[in-house]
Amino acid sequence: MSLNFSKLFSSKKRQDIQQVPSQIGLPTNVKHDYHVTRNAHTGELEGLPESWIRLLNAQITKEEQDVNPRAAVQALKYYNYSIKKKPTEPFKPLITAEQIEEESAEIENILGPKVLAGRNIPTWGEDESPKVKQKLAPPVPPAKPSGYKAGGKVNQEALVNHVQQALDEALNLAVVDGDTTGLKKHEEEEICGSPLLRKKERSTEKLTDDQIYEELRRLCHPGDPCRRFDRSKELGAGASGTVFIAYDTETKKKIAVKDIDLSKQPRKELILNEIKVMKEFNHENLVNFLDAYLVRNDHLWVIMELLDGGPLTDVVTETVMKEGQIAAVCREVLKAVSFLHGKGIIHRDIKSDNVLLGMNGAVKVTDFGFCANIVGDEKRQTLVGTPYWMAPEVVTRKQYGKKVDIWSLGIMAIEMIEGEPPYLKETPLRALYLIAANGRPAIPRWEKLSPEFKDFLDCCLQVDVDKRATADELLRHPFLRNCMELTTLTPLIKAAQKILGKGAGIDLLHK
Ligand code: ATP
Ligand code: MG
C-alpha cells in the first residue's frame, strides 16, 4: 500500500515545505502480539514489524532510540495508528473525554497487548533515567517531509450526540443555577474524568437517505440561495467542500459559503447532526454559522461569517508581531477555548491555520465543524492532523484531556514569536518522537521575551498536565494585561496579504 501525503497545511508557504509525497509501505490490520525489546548489544528495538523498524531507523537515530526508546515506540504507534485510518472514518478535531479513551485503547491495541512489554523499556510513569531526561539535539536531516493530518478514531456520530448532550446539560445547569456556576461544576466533574453526560437516543440515528434529506430540508433555509447570495471568489478547498466569498443582497454584507457536495458524503446523517449542533454554537471568538441551504438536493451551502483577513498563519509567517499583539490574539483564542471547554468540548486542532482574522482585527477560531470526509478522497487517506502542535500526552496517551488545547495555544504563541512551530521541518514521525522525548521545546528568541510572556509560555507548555494552566486561569494571566488593540493587527494583515498576493478579491468585491 502506498500512501499519498499531499494534504498538509492551508498556508501556501507551508505546503511548499511539505510537498514531497511519502511512499511508505505500512502494515494494516495488524493484530498479532508483538514483544518489543531492546538488543543489549546493538541498542536496536526488536520485535516490531519489519516495516516499522525500517521507518524508525530511517527517521530516528540509534542514539535517540537509545535515549528514549519508549518515546520512539509511542511515536511509531501513534503514527501508524493515524495513517491506518480509512477515509470513511471522518476526522473531527472536536473530541470528548469518552472518545479519547476509545482512541487510546485502539492505539494501544495496534500491535496487540504485549507491545512495550519488553524488560528493557520502562513503563510510563516509572522514573526515567537522567539519560532519558537529557534534551535531544535537533535531529538528523529529515527524510522526505510528508503531510499529516491529525487525529484518532472519532466516531463522529457519537461525538455530535455527545456535543449536543453536553450543550443541553450545560444549558440546563446554567438555568437551574441562574448563573454560570453550573457550568463550572460541569467542568470540574469532567476534569476528574468521570462520565458526566446523560445518554440519549438521538432522533437522527439510523435514518434512511430519504429521511435525512427530509430533515435537511426542514433544517435548511427554504429557497434558492443563488437568489440571495452572489457567489464570487474561491477562498480554498478543504476536505468536505469548497469555501467561497459571497455577497448577501439582503443584509448587504459579505459572507463565506462552504459548498458541500452531499453526493460525495458517505455519512450524510453526520452533516445533519452537525448543522443542528453548529446552530447552537455562537460565540464572538468562533467563526459562526449563519444558515444552511439545500441546493438542487445534492449540495449543501453552509453560510458562515466571512473573516476577510485570512488565517493567522499568513501574519505569523510574513510579519513580526509585537508582544502586545500576540497577547491580544492569545486572549481572543482563550475566550473561544474557555467557551468550548465549558461545554465539555476539546477543539484539539488549535493552530494558526485554524485562527481566522477579520480586517478589523477580529480573531476567531474555526474548523470545529463540517470536517467530514469525501469518499475516495486520496488526500484524506492519511487523515490525522498536524503533529507539530500536539501536546506530549497526545503521543504518550497519558492524562489526555482539554489541556491539550492549552499546549497547542503555547505552540501557536511560538509561531507568533518565531514564525513557525518547533520541528516544522521534521517529518511527522520524527516530530512526534521529539515532542514525546523532549517535552517542552526550546524557543530560540526566549531571552528577548518579557518576564510576563515567559511566564505565560511556562504556564502553557508544562509537560505535567496538572501544572499546565486552564483557559480561565490564563485569561487572568498578567501577560494579557498588556494587550494591544485588536485594530493594530490590521496593518500586519494587509502587509501579509500584499506579500502573499491575497486579499484584493475580498477588498474589491461589491465595494
Ligand atoms: P479542512 O478540510 O481541514 O478544514 P481547510 O481549513 O483548508 O481544511 P476549509 O475549512 O474548507 O479547508 O477552508 C478552505 C479555505 O477557506 C481555507 O483557506 C480557510 O482559511 C478559508 N476559510 C474557511 N472558512 C472561512 C471563513 N469563514 N472566512 C474566510 N475564510 C475562510
Ligand atoms: Mg477548515
Side-chain angles (χ1 to χ4, degrees):
M1 181 181 68
S2 71
L3 293 156
N4 180 6
F5 296 89
S6 57
K7 161 88 176 161
L8 228 233
F9 300 103
S10 55
S11 144
K12 193 166 180 289
K13 194 166 177 181
R14 293 186 195 191
Q15 271 169 357
D16 291 345
I17 297 172
Q18 309 260 351
Q19 258 172 4
V20 190
S22 170
Q23 304 282 327
I24 305 161
L26 288 155
T28 50
N29 299 325
V30 183
K31 284 278 173 218
H32 322 289
D33 282 0
Y34 286 89
H35 190 76
V36 185
T37 52
R38 195 150 45 96
N39 186 307
H41 301 293
T42 65
E44 271 186 34
L45 292 172
E46 292 174 344
L48 289 163
E50 185 105 354
S51 56
W52 287 36
I53 297 274
R54 275 203 305 274
L55 188 61
L56 188 72
N57 290 340
Q59 299 195 25
I60 297 167
T61 63
K62 295 276 162 54
E63 190 211 357
E64 287 168 336
Q65 291 177 35
D66 192 40
V67 167
N68 201 331
R70 180 155 287 273
V73 174
Q74 209 72 32
L76 251 187
K77 283 173 89 177
Y78 188 87
Y79 178 79
N80 281 302
Y81 164 78
S82 301
I83 61 170
K84 88 183 169 71
K85 292 176 70 58
K86 299 182 218 94
T88 45
E89 289 171 2
F91 166 70
K92 252 194 88 154
L94 290 187
I95 190 167
T96 59
E98 265 174 21
Q99 288 159 330
I100 289 166
E101 273 177 39
E102 210 180 277
E103 182 180 285
S104 296
E106 231 198 294
I107 293 172
E108 207 40 56
N109 282 331
I110 187 167
L111 285 179
K114 284 195 185 162
V115 140
L116 296 186
R119 59 193 146 76
N120 294 326
I121 301 175
T123 50
W124 293 121
E126 270 178 25
D127 274 353
E128 291 167 332
S129 67
K131 205 175 172 191
V132 172
K133 292 212 173 99
Q134 147 201 342
K135 289 268 170 183
L136 293 158
V140 287
K144 291 177 187 165
S146 55
Y148 193 69
K149 181 86 185 153
K153 178 174 192 297
V154 178
N155 175 342
Q156 194 169 1
E157 190 168 353
L159 165 68
V160 174
N161 288 341
H162 195 104
V163 169
Q164 184 71 58
Q165 288 162 21
L167 203 58
D168 293 349
E169 190 97 356
L171 292 173
N172 286 344
L173 284 167
V175 171
V176 171
D177 289 353
D179 59 20
T180 53
T181 343
L183 293 176
K184 265 225 139 31
K185 273 186 219 146
H186 184 267
E187 189 177 350
E188 277 163 18
E189 276 172 31
E190 205 199 313
I191 288 167
C192 298
S194 53
L196 50 123
L197 300 168
R198 272 177 280 119
K199 286 264 176 252
K200 275 191 260 171
E201 278 298 305
R202 289 285 143 189
S203 57
T204 51
E205 279 167 19
K206 298 183 194 95
L207 293 182
T208 64
D209 259 17
D210 280 351
Q211 286 170 316
I212 289 166
Y213 275 109
E214 199 181 305
E215 182 81 355
L216 263 179
R217 269 189 289 274
R218 205 180 57 73
L219 277 173
C220 287
H221 199 286
D224 180 3
C226 301
R227 287 169 174 269
R228 174 172 172 182
F229 300 100
D230 189 359
R231 203 167 93 167
S232 67
K233 192 174 177 259
E234 182 182 320
L235 283 170
S240 59
T242 309
V243 179
F244 295 89
I245 301 173
Y247 178 71
D248 184 345
T249 54
E250 276 179 25
T251 62
K252 313 274 184 246
K253 282 184 182 156
K254 285 173 276 184
I255 49 90
V257 180
K258 191 160 200 167
D259 186 343
I260 300 171
D261 185 347
L262 288 170
S263 66
K264 291 186 181 162
Q265 292 298 327
R267 307 208 41 203
K268 297 179 189 52
E269 72 279 12
L270 303 180
I271 298 273
L272 184 63
N273 274 331
E274 285 196 33
I275 295 183
K276 289 182 179 174
V277 174
M278 301 313 291
K279 274 188 158 178
E280 307 288 335
F281 275 67
N282 253 291
H283 187 271
E284 60 163 347
N285 298 107
L286 295 178
V287 175
N288 289 306
F289 167 94
L290 300 174
D291 220 331
Y293 286 81
L294 205 51
V295 187
R296 295 186 309 278
N297 276 336
D298 56 359
H299 276 251
L300 184 69
W301 277 27
V302 180
I303 316 291
M304 301 174 278
E305 294 176 288
L306 173 70
L307 273 293
D308 52 0
L312 175 65
T313 314
D314 293 349
V315 169
V316 306
T317 55
E318 304 304 328
T319 72
V320 177
M321 296 175 76
K322 295 199 172 81
E323 274 199 17
Q325 293 168 320
I326 297 175
V329 170
C330 287
R331 180 193 60 202
E332 299 302 296
V333 172
L334 277 168
K335 283 195 273 176
V337 169
S338 161
F339 172 80
L340 292 172
H341 287 186
K343 297 192 179 310
I345 307 296
I346 304 168
H347 185 289
R348 88 165 181 170
D349 205 13
I350 297 288
K351 55 179 180 176
S352 68
D353 310 67
N354 285 339
V355 173
L356 298 183
L357 305 172
M359 265 309 184
N360 58 356
V363 177
K364 301 194 183 212
V365 174
T366 186
D367 256 345
F368 51 96
F370 304 104
C371 299
N373 286 285
I374 297 167
V375 184
D377 180 354
E378 284 302 305
K379 69 186 178 182
R380 280 284 150 159
Q381 206 159 4
T382 58
L383 289 204
V384 290
T386 39
Y388 310 98
W389 289 260
M390 275 178 196
E393 69 267 22
V394 178
V395 189
T396 63
R397 313 307 291 184
K398 232 168 80 178
Q399 268 195 289
Y400 183 156
K402 56 181 73 164
K403 285 192 182 166
V404 298
D405 287 341
I406 304 300
W407 177 279
S408 303
L409 175 82
I411 301 296
M412 198 176 85
I414 297 180
E415 287 187 86
M416 292 189 266
I417 301 165
E418 307 287 349
E420 62 181 44
Y423 318 131
L424 184 68
K425 294 180 183 73
E426 304 298 337
T427 60
L429 172 62
R430 220 185 131 64
L432 287 171
Y433 168 74
L434 293 169
I435 291 165
N438 285 344
R440 187 191 160 139
I443 302 175
R445 289 183 176 78
W446 180 254
E447 289 312 324
K448 298 200 166 67
L449 307 179
S450 69
E452 292 81 14
F453 195 6
K454 283 181 178 171
D455 190 71
F456 183 84
L457 288 162
D458 284 342
C459 294
C460 295
L461 297 171
Q462 288 290 335
V463 174
D464 183 341
V465 176
D466 292 330
K467 290 192 186 135
R468 201 179 304 155
T470 64
D472 290 339
E473 282 163 4
L474 286 172
L475 279 167
R476 297 190 293 271
H477 193 279
F479 176 54
L480 302 191
R481 284 191 207 130
N482 305 317
C483 288
M484 287 167 71
E485 289 294 327
L486 289 172
T487 48
T488 65
L489 296 174
T490 308
L492 302 187
I493 298 167
K494 283 188 175 158
Q497 289 193 339
K498 199 171 168 198
I499 295 166
L500 298 169
K502 292 183 177 180
I506 297 181
D507 288 343
L508 298 175
L509 184 83
H510 294 282
K511 234 186 175 171

